[in-house]
Amino acid sequence: MDAATERSEFRQSSANTKPSFVDMINILVVDDDATTLAIVSAMLKTWSYQVVSVRNPIDALATLRARKGIFDLVVTDLHMPQMNGFELQKHVHEEFKLPVIMMSADDKESVILKSLEGGVVYYIVKPVSKDDIKNVWQYAVAAKKGKSVTIEEIESAPGEAPGEVEDGSSETSSDTDEEKQEKKAVAKVKKERKRHREDDNEERMVAPKKPKVVWTNSLHNQFLLAIRHIGLDKAVPKRILEFMNVPGLTRENVASHLQKYRIFLKRVAEKARLSKCLSERVFRSSFALGHPALVFNNVQRDQYYSQLLNPQQMGTSIASTFQPSAGNGNTLALTAAASNNLGSIQFPNYHQSSSSNSSRSFPQLIGSGQSRLLSNNQANILCQQPMLGNGNGDQLLCQANRRTAAFGLQQLMNTFGNGGMSFGLMNNNIGLTNNNIGTNSLMQVHPQQSQPRQNGVFTFTNNPFSYNFATSGNQISSSYTPLSSSFENMGSNVNNVNQQVPNSSHQLVSNFAGSQIMSSSGRELVGLMGSQPAGMLNNITNNINIGGGYPNVSLTGAPIGNNDGIFNSGYMAQLGASSSSMSSSAGFEISASSAYQFPPSLLKNNGDDQQQNVPVLPPPAGNVNDQCGLANLNVGGGNVEISVSGVMDNTIITDAPPTLINNNNISHEQELVGDIDDLMLSNLLMDQQNNYEPSPPPFQQQDGDQDQLPPDFASFVYQVEVPDPSADQVPNLDSYHVEDNAANEQSWNQQQEGGDQQVVNPEFDGNVFDSEDYSILFDPEHPFQDCDDDFLNAILDADM
DNA sequence: CAGCGAATAT
DNA sequence: CATATTCGCT
């Protein structure tokens, strides 16, 4: 960052977020490392804080005692010889009741959680950046407020004139409703007078301009977390506030933020309604799935839901992914959770076999979900999940990865019934709350013929949202003691796989296409589609100890496009696909991925400079819900697998036949604007309607090679190569093209030939995201396109 | 001046 | 509590 930028940032932030009284905030910085100490102190001073630095915790306490009442905040290193940060924090809390901010290079969730649970107000993963500490004043203020120390004492900074009372006359504006205006003005003047009187009476202090609460990423993240926990419909300021448990934050703050947030959601919804492209993306995006009830409750989406899968075809392809493994009688309890997350796809090249093969390697797919843009340091702080920006453009751009929510989740009350793998979709209400579509329609699933299922041991219980993935007929076998984390909505509708994970409080919880691990305290530790392993490492061991000799589930993430381990599910989501997996060396694996079926409305009009989305299907009279799901859970040293997949499939209710999508019209000259899935899906639909054979995918390679992807759209995972992860731009969808998909093609071909449906690509070397296997390559010529905030946010945010 | 986010009023 | 309005700022 150059100096000018820095200055400008400083100015901005100084004006924007940093009250002038920060120079009255005294911070004690403790770090045994002189360099860090100096740097952090200097940074704080840059922000105008008053800083005292000490080299060890003993001195810190001594300083605090000697200058009691002076300090407002303690910033300490975690690892120090004499006394670690935890202990120091405890002392500081007990003796001085001061807020403590912890710094450490240790980005382990366990440590972070421990810190926060221990009372640390903020955890900064080193290296500390200026932005990390810019707003620490909030903690000081919050703490003071909590202690009911008058906030004025730190607010009465020089030069900060209190809001002067305006003249009542200037208050009234020109025209309408004069009487009302006048009343208002009078009332206001009265109020102002009253306030002044009070001020005069109470203290001469100038006044109370409350420091503005800055909804930082982390704060907003907590906000989202709260909403997610509570459920949007029930999320009222008070409850959100309670859940957030941020000292000093007021209900009003939350209410205000909530209001803005709702407006935002509304805007997204509206935009979605107006734009098929967007709406489909939003609604169908994995981001849009699995989240309880957001925004789109009130959006008319039915017209967008007309496309559906051809049950037969889908059944074929999906059913083939069912790979019951030989069970040994152990049980996993699956607790269904909230989601209609059916958008899951088969793991490409997933090695599955009913026969044990302990030596095989599992693809280490990881779901992604992190925007490449999420490169700020916030990402290193606790909740890795991306969040909605606070409105600054840059932050908005950081959102690309949200595991986005679930519009309409509530509407889909599906129950997977199962017995031999049939899934039922019941009570699905899609769209408007008063617009029930497809109620009680059944989802059809076509079990893999060749592999009869054993009796299942999954137990599903209802989740608060009534989306159940049932598997009463599914088999599962496990060579280890039942787990107890909960896998919710793994990619598909495997919701809440309730597993006992001894010695761990971790739970896998999620509501999205991927998986997510959250701590019992609600912190997201690892998630997919919107989160990433802490620290953005490729391999992260979370020390989830699973009994039976399979400790250390390591979560492996395959970074896409950059080596920061920042996943780009934003892209994937935009491409309509996402996937994830977790696996351990011991063979524990959970993988999930999803594909979303978009309507074929995203074709670029060839020959038209204007990008124009040509709706190809007429709005349906009725509606269809079509999603497919699959989740694989492989447990044990390679000898146990659970995999479940299914297609939810309502019937096409529309009697308006899709008009046209002519594959022949799509050539390499015609760029694919939307998702491949869209096209595939639409073709499937068309074919179904026309009794055609399955269409080849509607695209060709740019180089003229006629190789095409198999129509098994549900079995793709895309890789996106991102040229510049740090750029504040979004990828240009137009610049993607399908390069190759040999593995899937082969798989498809073999399936067509009636061969083994679980094809292992001989070329597959274990790196799932091998661009040689499947990829959508980036066209460096047109790497980015402008993308307006709304679009981005729609993608990014829909979630929480 | 528009527009935002936050605060504040209704 | 939801919603409208105002404020301070860019």
Side-chain angles (χ1 to χ4, degrees):
Chain A
M1 182 186 308
D2 60 44
T5 310
E6 198 160 324
R7 269 197 307 279
S8 136
E9 278 205 354
F10 181 84
R11 221 182 304 117
Q12 179 184 10
S13 120
S14 150
N16 241 352
T17 66
K18 193 171 59 70
S20 59
F21 59 74
V22 294
D23 58 3
M24 297 185 61
I25 293 187
N26 290 274
I27 301 176
L28 182 65
V29 184
V30 192
D31 198 323
D32 59 306
D33 176 62
T35 307
T36 308
L37 184 63
I39 291 173
V40 172
S41 299
M43 284 177 174
L44 286 166
K45 284 173 184 166
T46 305
W47 296 118
S48 300
Y49 293 104
Q50 300 296 312
V51 181
V52 172
S53 52
V54 295
R55 288 287 298 278
N56 70 69
I58 310 297
D59 289 351
L61 291 171
T63 305
L64 289 171
R65 285 186 195 110
R67 303 167 72 175
K68 200 160 186 171
I70 297 294
F71 292 100
D72 304 292
L73 184 63
V74 175
V75 176
T76 179
D77 185 30
L78 173 54
H79 300 292
M80 294 177 292
Q82 302 90 342
M83 176 191 296
N84 69 30
F86 298 132
E87 296 169 274
L88 177 61
Q89 186 270 328
K90 281 188 177 54
H91 280 98
V92 169
H93 175 73
E94 284 165 15
E95 196 170 340
F96 309 101
K97 294 277 184 295
L98 288 177
V100 173
I101 291 175
M102 192 79 83
M103 306 178 290
S104 173
D106 194 340
D107 58 0
K108 280 202 289 293
E109 313 80 35
S110 57
V111 175
I112 297 173
L113 283 174
K114 183 181 173 190
S115 302
L116 293 166
E117 283 161 8
V120 164
V121 295
Y122 193 51
Y123 190 102
I124 303 173
V125 176
K126 288 181 179 178
V128 177
S129 81
K130 280 180 69 179
D131 286 341
D132 288 335
I133 55 176
K134 181 167 68 177
N135 292 314
V136 293
W137 61 269
Q138 290 188 1
Y139 295 101
V141 171
K144 290 214 171 215
K145 237 175 157 180
K147 277 196 300 185
S148 74
V149 171
T150 56
I151 203 161
E152 286 78 7
E153 120 182 59
I154 53 173
E155 284 172 347
S156 54
E160 208 62 349
E164 290 295 332
V165 192
E166 298 106 327
D167 204 341
S169 59
S170 70
E171 180 73 10
T172 52
S173 56
S174 50
D175 36 87
T176 67
D177 236 336
E178 289 176 88
E179 201 173 302
K180 199 174 164 188
Q181 286 281 5
E182 206 168 304
K183 273 184 188 170
K184 266 190 190 170
V186 170
K188 173 158 188 172
V189 169
K190 278 183 185 169
K191 194 158 267 178
E192 298 282 13
R193 282 187 190 138
K194 188 181 165 200
R195 200 171 83 192
H196 261 235
R197 227 179 295 123
E198 283 170 358
D199 290 346
D200 288 345
N201 292 342
E202 275 171 12
E203 45 200 333
R204 297 237 56 92
M205 296 293 350
V206 232
K209 188 154 81 181
K210 272 197 195 162
K212 270 196 176 185
V213 168
V214 177
W215 285 86
T216 59
N217 278 357
S218 64
L219 195 57
H220 181 71
N221 205 17
Q222 277 191 268
F223 169 84
L224 295 180
L225 215 59
I227 290 183
R228 181 164 65 195
H229 186 258
I230 299 166
L232 184 68
D233 46 344
K234 292 176 194 154
V236 292
K238 196 176 173 185
R239 295 185 66 179
I240 296 172
L241 182 65
E242 283 166 6
F243 186 87
M244 289 177 69
N245 191 27
V246 173
L249 194 68
T250 68
R251 193 190 64 83
E252 285 75 16
N253 294 141
V254 175
S256 179
H257 193 65
L258 180 63
Q259 183 180 31
K260 280 291 179 185
Y261 185 67
R262 283 174 172 156
I263 288 169
F264 162 74
L265 293 176
K266 207 161 129 193
R267 198 160 46 200
V268 173
E270 179 62 17
K271 189 141 187 169
R273 197 175 62 77
L274 296 174
S275 156
K276 273 201 167 199
C277 171
L278 178 56
S279 76
E280 284 304 324
R281 288 183 175 283
V282 170
F283 291 133
R284 298 307 196 105
S285 134
S286 65
F287 292 166
L289 288 175
H291 190 283
L294 289 191
V295 231
F296 290 90
N297 291 358
N298 298 320
V299 175
Q300 300 215 10
R301 318 179 297 165
D302 51 326
Q303 63 175 317
Y304 302 124
Y305 277 75
S306 61
Q307 297 75 26
L308 87 165
L309 303 177
N310 176 331
Q312 300 305 320
Q313 291 169 359
M314 283 309 298
T316 300
S317 62
I318 294 297
S320 69
T321 69
F322 280 63
Q323 292 293 329
S325 62
N328 67 359
N330 281 337
T331 297
L332 286 187
L334 298 193
T335 301
S339 171
N340 56 353
N341 268 356
L342 302 178
S344 171
I345 66 172
Q346 176 180 6
F347 219 30
N349 287 335
Y350 193 68
H351 298 233
Q352 272 189 131
S353 151
S354 55
S355 64
S356 280
N357 177 358
S358 57
S359 66
R360 70 175 180 262
S361 62
F362 290 107
Q364 304 287 296
L365 250 199
I366 260 281
S368 44
Q370 198 78 7
S371 160
R372 79 200 187 290
L373 300 170
L374 186 65
S375 55
N376 58 20
N377 286 306
Q378 292 284 5
N380 277 332
I381 301 175
L382 188 50
C383 296
Q384 305 283 337
Q385 92 188 39
M387 50 215 123
L388 181 59
N390 64 5
N392 299 332
D394 51 342
Q395 287 179 328
L396 287 175
L397 284 173
C398 289
Q399 313 301 319
N401 71 355
R402 28 229 25 281
R403 150 184 62 274
T404 310
F407 309 121
L409 173 78
Q410 275 188 344
Q411 292 75 23
L412 262 193
M413 320 239 297
N414 7 333
T415 299
F416 276 78
N418 154 13
M421 280 297 135
S422 74
F423 289 53
L425 175 62
M426 302 167 57
N427 296 328
N428 42 340
N429 256 325
I430 307 176
L432 293 170
T433 30
N434 57 356
N435 180 17
N436 297 330
I437 305 167
T439 301
N440 290 328
S441 59
L442 284 181
M443 174 177 55
Q444 302 172 19
V445 165
H446 305 271
Q448 186 172 354
Q449 303 289 323
S450 58
Q451 291 190 302
R453 317 208 79 77
Q454 305 169 10
N455 276 338
V457 289
F458 284 107
T459 303
F460 289 86
T461 58
N462 283 345
N463 66 77
F465 301 99
S466 310
Y467 308 124
N468 302 324
F469 175 76
T471 69
S472 57
N474 287 339
Q475 83 306 318
I476 182 177
S477 60
S478 160
S479 60
Y480 64 96
T481 320
L483 306 171
S484 166
S485 26
S486 47
F487 303 154
E488 266 182 58
N489 299 337
M490 277 194 17
S492 47
N493 261 358
V494 177
N495 299 326
N496 269 348
V497 177
N498 243 356
Q499 300 187 337
Q500 288 295 343
V501 179
N503 308 323
S504 171
S505 60
H506 296 89
Q507 286 181 305
L508 297 183
V509 178
S510 73
N511 270 326
F512 24 91
S515 313
Q516 185 189 35
I517 297 184
M518 301 187 73
S519 75
S520 53
S521 63
R523 304 290 187 179
E524 176 177 349
L525 301 179
V526 174
L528 301 167
M529 291 308 299
S531 60
Q532 64 185 46
M536 304 181 181
L537 301 175
N538 285 348
N539 290 284
I540 293 168
T541 295
N542 281 274
N543 294 322
I544 298 177
N545 293 318
I546 299 178
Y550 300 100
N552 297 329
V553 172
S554 80
L555 304 173
T556 302
I560 304 173
N562 66 69
N563 56 11
D564 285 332
I566 300 176
F567 307 128
N568 301 286
S569 84
Y571 307 148
M572 298 183 70
Q574 288 175 19
L575 289 165
S578 66
S579 66
S580 65
S581 80
M582 287 174 261
S583 69
S584 73
S585 53
F588 177 94
E589 169 162 347
I590 299 166
S591 65
S593 55
S594 57
Y596 312 94
Q597 302 88 51
F598 291 78
S601 57
L602 304 173
L603 291 178
K604 186 171 182 176
N605 195 0
N606 198 18
D608 189 343
D609 284 339
Q610 287 285 59
Q611 186 167 320
Q612 181 179 344
N613 295 323
V614 183
V616 223
L617 291 178
N623 196 349
V624 178
N625 169 55
D626 52 18
Q627 287 170 321
C628 66
L630 163 93
N632 297 311
L633 171 59
N634 291 272
V635 183
N639 59 348
V640 179
E641 296 176 298
I642 303 166
S643 67
V644 181
S645 66
V647 175
M648 288 182 54
D649 200 346
N650 288 336
T651 323
I652 298 184
I653 305 173
T654 179
D655 41 15
T659 38
L660 318 174
I661 245 198
N662 183 344
N663 290 338
N664 296 329
N665 288 340
I666 304 166
S667 71
H668 67 278
E669 292 170 353
Q670 197 163 19
E671 293 175 10
L672 184 66
V673 176
D675 294 278
I676 293 171
D677 291 342
D678 297 355
L679 304 174
M680 298 179 106
L681 176 66
S682 64
N683 286 331
L684 286 173
L685 177 58
M686 296 272 302
D687 293 332
Q688 178 202 11
Q689 301 256 326
N690 298 312
N691 293 320
Y692 291 152
E693 288 300 306
S695 303
F699 39 72
Q700 297 174 330
Q701 286 188 249
Q702 297 286 324
D703 61 7
D705 188 318
Q706 297 300 303
D707 286 351
Q708 292 174 322
L709 294 173
D712 179 4
F713 72 89
S715 63
F716 295 112
V717 167
Y718 305 112
Q719 174 183 11
V720 175
E721 292 181 1
V722 183
D724 180 6
S726 65
D728 263 1
Q729 291 173 294
V730 298
N732 182 356
L733 293 179
D734 291 355
S735 66
Y736 294 122
H737 66 276
V738 175
E739 172 90 336
D740 192 7
N741 204 319
N744 283 297
E745 186 176 19
Q746 180 180 355
S747 174
W748 171 255
N749 291 336
Q750 294 196 27
Q751 287 185 35
Q752 293 301 89
E753 293 159 15
D756 182 359
Q757 291 173 341
Q758 294 302 322
V759 177
V760 174
N761 177 10
E763 313 251 333
F764 178 63
D765 59 4
N767 296 316
V768 168
F769 281 131
D770 182 334
S771 61
E772 305 236 335
D773 293 332
Y774 9 72
S775 61
I776 292 175
L777 295 184
F778 207 80
D779 176 4
E781 295 290 323
H782 311 90
F784 296 114
Q785 68 178 1
D786 289 330
C787 186
D788 63 305
D789 285 355
D790 286 334
F791 177 86
L792 195 57
N793 283 310
I795 301 289
L796 303 184
D797 190 78
D799 137 336
M800 336 190 305

